[in-house]
Amino acid sequence: MSGAPQRFAAQGLGAVLALIFCVGSGAAAPGQEWRLDDACPPGFEELAGGTCAFRSFYEIYGGSVDHGGLRAALPAIRGAARPQLIDLGRYLFFDPLLAADRRTSCAHCHHPDLGYADGRGRSMGLAGAGVGPARSGGAALSRGAPTLWNVGFLRRLFWDGRAASLEEQARGPLFAADEMGNSPEQLEADLNTIPAYRSLFAAAFARDAAAPITVAEVVRALAAFQSSLVSFNSRYDRYAHGDAKALDAQELDGLNVFRGFVARCSQCHIPPLFTDSEMAVIGAPPVPGLPYDAGAGALDPDPALRGAFRVPTLRNVARTAPYFQAGQFKDLDAVVRFYNDARGHAVPAGQALQIHWHIPMSRPMLSDADVAALVAFLGTLTDESMAPAVPPAVPSGLPVVAHSGSSLPR
Ligand code: HEC
Ligand code: HEC
């Protein structure tokens, strides 16, 4: 695989200078030239109209998206975007200017080194966000940050499925008091005082630079960037496309358990996306010290939705421990043992849940070898070969979250 694209060679020095001169000032250094990448990200092909279309081997397979075979088509990805818009979204995603405390970027909770999640069971808001020991000033949220890999294919967003588009979703963290704590007015005012952003937005949206930057543009750019996070070149994919040697014997056993009618994992985590974007009640254990999280049931009185959560993708799942909506399980072995136990065993007394029909009525009775094989199989879904480059600096001049390859503490 080609590895991360090197998009920044041309502006590396300028970016470093911007960092030195601009911290806290919110202005671009004189002479600093910010440019947007005009090439589509890896995995995307430029169409005649100048937008980037996702391309993968899965396109050659016909049939229904939901049939669950190894060679099945993917669901549709959200609409194509211009490369410049994707690249603007990348700057915004890594820019702490988007948060009230000017320390918290999207990447603090959706970290490129942690599968675009944050390694915490429950994310920490504002000043506490990030990885490693909690910084002072933040408070734990009630849920954890899901991975953003392949998020452009999902029909429902958030653990409780409450957002239908990435644009709608992004307004959540930006303006939630306990996440990024910003306001639309403040965000627009901050971005509009930075000349570099004014020219980058004009370039990305092919519009007049005199027009003010709007929140609607910010969320479109963030959505375009997030939709470029694609992962379909794992060892599993090589196997699915016909490379019989891409999985070892144990991993193959695991795939068979995953697809078999005892464990039935693939009925909800449908390949090749490994989710069907549906809501499902599986009876997750409660979180000690927190009120019971009824998921979609907290938003909709339909009794069938009580305890329902959106089926998460399992792509790059080995990179995103701990698991479930609030990190109830520390590793994949613990997750698989949960499914191997009796239906509904973890549901707290007094909660009337309608557990999904794909959760078997009788205990699956998987052997320890089956459990280990399933865990090994889940590890074959890892692929970060299309990871975008983390920008060395962002137009606000605020420091970018530390990541592998940078020397700052995380
Ligand atoms: C303070 C930590 C934090 C920050 C900062 C943050 N997020 Fe999140 N993100 C979360 C949590 C927690 C959830 C799950 C919330 C829920 O489901 O109720 C989430 C969910 C999401 C989802 C839904 C994914 C899915 O599979 O349904 C997307 C997309 C997303 N965030 C994008 C962003 C973007 C874009 C930004 C920056 C504007 C951002 N996040 C900033 C913690 C954070
Ligand atoms: C009825 C649909 C359904 C079936 C069947 C199912 N899952 Fe899940 N899976 C879910 C839902 C919903 C969640 C999220 C639960 C939560 O957060 O409370 C989930 C979460 C997970 C997670 C954690 C992902 C993360 O990012 O936190 C893993 C791993 C997983 N399932 C693997 C499996 C395996 C392995 C099997 C088969 C033994 C299986 N699932 C069967 C619906 C299902």
Side-chain angles (χ1 to χ4, degrees):
M1 285 291 101
S2 62
Q6 292 305 308
R7 296 175 171 180
F8 284 90
Q11 68 174 48
L13 179 62
V16 172
L17 292 176
L19 190 64
I20 294 168
F21 291 123
C22 307
V23 171
S25 75
Q32 163 73 29
E33 220 196 298
W34 294 90
R35 270 190 334 106
L36 295 177
D37 198 338
D38 53 12
C40 290
F44 289 77
E45 181 195 10
E46 188 162 342
L47 301 178
T51 55
C52 305
F54 174 64
R55 291 281 173 258
S56 92
F57 277 123
Y58 286 103
E59 275 172 52
I60 63 183
Y61 309 128
S64 108
V65 162
D66 287 344
H67 78 66
L70 264 51
R71 297 186 183 184
L74 280 164
I77 190 170
R78 56 165 280 131
R82 300 174 69 228
Q84 295 86 347
L85 186 61
I86 296 173
D87 208 27
L88 172 63
R90 189 175 59 111
Y91 283 121
L92 293 169
F93 188 86
F94 286 96
D95 199 333
L97 183 71
L98 270 58
D101 67 357
R102 311 233 164 160
R103 291 175 61 183
T104 312
S105 67
C106 307
H108 278 77
C109 295
H110 300 282
H111 197 288
D113 292 350
L114 295 166
Y116 283 87
D118 66 0
R120 299 179 183 282
R122 293 160 59 195
S123 296
M124 299 285 291
L126 281 174
V131 294
R135 287 186 267 146
S136 61
L141 308 177
S142 58
R143 293 180 185 152
T147 183
L148 299 183
W149 282 110
N150 298 330
V151 74
F153 293 87
L154 300 181
R155 290 194 307 276
R156 291 190 175 84
L157 297 162
F158 286 125
W159 287 104
D160 52 16
R162 69 186 180 277
S165 73
L166 285 168
E167 285 84 348
E168 184 186 342
Q169 186 285 324
R171 291 172 191 264
L174 284 171
F175 307 130
D178 55 357
E179 290 189 49
M180 297 172 89
N182 216 332
S183 69
E185 300 72 29
Q186 188 64 48
L187 177 58
E188 287 178 351
D190 285 345
L191 288 167
N192 278 306
T193 55
I194 299 180
Y197 269 130
R198 290 196 77 131
S199 63
L200 293 183
F201 273 76
F205 287 97
R207 63 147 170 79
D208 189 348
I213 296 167
T214 64
V215 168
E217 288 178 333
V218 172
V219 297
R220 270 186 63 195
L222 286 168
F225 168 68
Q226 294 177 85
S227 305
S228 77
L229 301 171
V230 292
S231 169
F232 295 104
N233 289 323
S234 66
R235 285 197 294 119
Y236 162 78
D237 296 293
R238 297 221 304 271
Y239 180 82
H241 297 316
D243 175 359
K245 293 202 168 68
L247 302 187
D248 69 22
Q250 187 192 33
E251 292 160 350
L252 254 182
D253 284 349
L255 170 59
N256 289 332
V257 178
F258 190 86
R259 299 183 68 210
F261 213 69
V262 174
R264 298 203 211 167
C265 315
S266 68
Q267 308 264 328
C268 295
H269 300 282
I270 299 181
L273 195 55
F274 288 87
T275 170
D276 56 4
S277 280
E278 293 296 333
M279 308 304 298
V281 184
I282 63 172
V287 183
L290 284 191
Y292 181 67
D293 189 341
L299 311 170
D300 187 326
D302 180 349
L305 286 177
R306 193 157 178 81
F309 291 92
R310 199 272 328 275
V311 178
T313 180
L314 301 181
R315 294 282 180 170
N316 285 324
V317 73
R319 310 277 284 127
T320 60
Y323 302 104
F324 276 39
Q325 90 276 359
Q328 292 98 312
F329 296 113
K330 71 175 192 331
D331 56 26
L332 289 171
D333 181 79
V335 174
V336 172
R337 289 184 192 281
F338 159 81
Y339 284 109
N340 200 23
D341 207 328
R343 188 177 211 267
H345 70 275
V347 177
Q351 292 294 335
L353 302 191
Q354 301 177 18
I355 306 261
H356 197 281
W357 60 94
H358 287 323
I359 299 295
M361 284 294 173
S362 51
R363 281 189 58 173
M365 311 281 260
L366 301 178
S367 66
D368 283 351
D370 290 339
V371 171
L374 254 183
V375 172
F377 168 67
L378 293 172
T380 71
L381 297 172
T382 303
D383 160 42
E384 299 181 319
S385 60
M386 305 293 199
V390 175
V394 286
S396 67
L398 294 167
V400 171
V401 69
H403 58 95
S404 58
S406 79
S407 54
L408 299 165
R410 293 195 298 190

